[in-house]
Amino acid sequence: MSVASTSETISRQRGGSAIPATLVLFTALVALTLVSITIGRYDLDVLKVIRILADNLIPVRNPDWTVLEEQVVELVRLPRILAAVLVGAGLAASGAALQGLFRNPLVDPNIIGVTSGAGFGGTLAILSGIFGYGLLAIAFLFGLASVMIVKVLASSRGRTSVLALVLAGVIISAFFGSAISIVKLLADPHQKLPAITYWLMGSLASTNYEDLLLMAVVMVPALAVIYLMRFQINIISLGEEKARALGSPVATVQWAVLGATAVISAGVVACCGIIGWVGLVIPHVARAISGPDHGRLLPVSILLGAIYMLLVDNIARTVSTAEIPVGIITSLIGVPVFAVLLRRMQSKGGWKSD
């Protein structure tokens, strides 16, 4: 039996119908995106937002909006909201892929050290006065390096132990966490230290089209790689031994998915700072909707992650006069939600490999 036919069999056995859920979530995402553009200190209504955006495709001769309203929509709110969508989609897809690949519900880009590595690269770049593409490149290199170290530490005789992977991730995260502390200690306390501290808390406040382009260039191809690997992830989620027996290139798939998640995490960290818990919590919620088949789970995770980050960003910029970093809100929401999910899993007999 081929890998493709085996994956199709697994999909049928795992059941679930995510197409209606995907349509519902996509509709909700579009509606929430339009509503989010209206939210802020400058009042706008949804119909006016739609007309302003549609004017880029079909120009209106006598527009009923001001230049200021057009600038608020297209230059201030739209790039930030699209960035929130991209960040949520990327982190959720990364978490879903890693949890399936390593058959562990606790694995996400934070756990395997990618975020800490990329965070150290980003703080090092800010300390050196490097921003834009340079910051992205340095964050990416350290994020990728952390993944490679974790994978090497967790692998033995061509096999990857899940427990060793998590422990190696904890070690690397602790190491880069200490390295970030050293960078903060060396930073100018009046200028660079506040910038580093605020950046590490995660924020979409200063996102512009250049940042959005930076993220899209690196994250969209990485998301495509993860989605193309969905059938292979299904096979490997049965266990590495079974996957090898079915002819799956386990090591190649693991490196491809790890590389893609490193790219996504580095892109997020470089442009928005550290935003945690999205990749850990959202796949669990998505799995409850779509089931464990990654052909269905990944699209649902992507849409749920995008909706979740949009809601978090709306809270961050409206709940108080001073904007709250989104990384703080995702942690405040993610921790209790994950605790409830963990408790429910334990009451049903604990985590079971798909």
Side-chain angles (χ1 to χ4, degrees):
M1 184 179 290
S2 68
V3 171
S5 61
T6 303
S7 180
E8 290 174 2
T9 304
I10 292 170
S11 298
R12 287 195 297 270
Q13 289 175 346
R14 286 174 170 175
S17 57
I19 292 178
T22 305
L23 289 175
V24 170
L25 290 171
F26 180 75
T27 304
L29 176 60
V30 173
L32 184 60
T33 300
L34 293 173
V35 171
S36 298
I37 296 176
T38 69
I39 296 174
R41 292 185 177 86
Y42 195 95
D43 287 334
L44 290 165
D45 62 69
V46 173
L47 291 178
K48 185 172 285 186
V49 168
I50 292 173
R51 288 198 295 273
I52 292 173
L53 295 176
D55 181 58
N56 293 291
L57 300 174
I58 306 173
V60 177
R61 289 187 178 179
N62 298 308
D64 62 343
W65 58 85
T66 65
V67 174
L68 180 59
E69 288 174 331
E70 185 173 338
Q71 289 177 339
V72 168
V73 171
E74 296 188 345
L75 300 181
V76 178
R77 294 180 186 171
L78 187 60
R80 174 183 183 145
I81 286 167
L82 292 178
V85 170
L86 194 55
V87 166
L91 292 177
S94 298
L98 290 173
Q99 287 172 13
L101 194 66
F102 295 106
R103 308 173 69 203
N104 191 302
L106 297 178
V107 175
D108 81 333
N110 285 332
I111 295 295
I112 62 172
V114 181
T115 304
S116 297
F120 171 70
T123 55
L124 197 62
I126 294 174
L127 182 69
S128 306
I130 300 171
F131 296 92
Y133 290 100
L135 192 152
L136 178 68
I138 295 173
F140 170 70
L141 288 175
F142 276 95
L144 193 61
S146 65
V147 170
M148 294 177 70
I149 296 170
V150 167
K151 184 70 168 62
V152 169
L153 288 175
S155 299
S156 176
R157 298 177 182 177
R159 289 170 172 76
T160 305
S161 163
V162 174
L163 179 61
L165 184 85
V166 174
L167 291 175
V170 171
I171 292 169
I172 295 302
S173 295
F175 175 80
F176 280 117
S178 301
I180 289 173
S181 298
I182 293 174
V183 171
K184 292 167 73 175
L185 191 66
L186 296 174
D188 175 6
H190 300 293
Q191 294 182 351
K192 290 185 177 178
L193 181 57
I196 290 173
T197 302
Y198 189 77
W199 177 79
L200 284 173
M201 289 190 287
S203 175
L204 296 163
S206 59
T207 305
N208 53 36
Y209 281 112
E210 184 180 358
D211 296 326
L212 183 62
L213 180 63
L214 279 172
M215 283 196 292
V217 165
V218 298
M219 290 175 63
V220 172
L223 272 171
V225 169
I226 289 176
Y227 186 70
L228 290 173
M229 292 289 171
R230 61 194 185 281
F231 296 128
Q232 293 290 348
I233 297 173
N234 274 346
I235 299 294
I236 295 175
S237 68
L238 296 173
E240 289 189 22
E241 296 290 345
K242 291 181 181 177
R244 286 193 177 89
L246 290 168
S248 174
V250 175
T252 303
V253 175
Q254 287 178 340
W255 278 113
V257 173
L258 283 172
T261 55
V263 168
I264 291 172
S265 299
V268 171
V269 172
C271 296
C272 311
I274 295 177
I275 300 174
W277 292 94
V278 180
L280 191 60
V281 172
I282 295 299
H284 289 279
V285 180
R287 197 175 286 109
I289 296 173
S290 67
D293 171 30
H294 289 79
R296 303 184 180 99
L297 175 62
L298 286 172
V300 172
S301 294
I302 287 171
L303 292 168
L304 267 183
I307 291 171
Y308 176 67
M309 275 309 299
L310 264 184
L311 291 172
V312 167
D313 188 50
N314 289 342
I315 295 171
R317 60 195 175 95
T318 57
V319 76
S320 68
T321 53
E323 181 160 327
I324 302 173
V326 291
I328 294 176
I329 299 176
T330 56
S331 297
L332 286 174
I333 297 174
V335 172
V337 169
F338 187 73
V340 171
L341 291 171
L342 184 63
R343 185 63 186 167
R344 289 184 62 182
M345 281 193 296
Q346 289 297 102
S347 66
K348 293 178 180 178
W351 170 261
K352 295 177 180 177
S353 300
D354 297 330

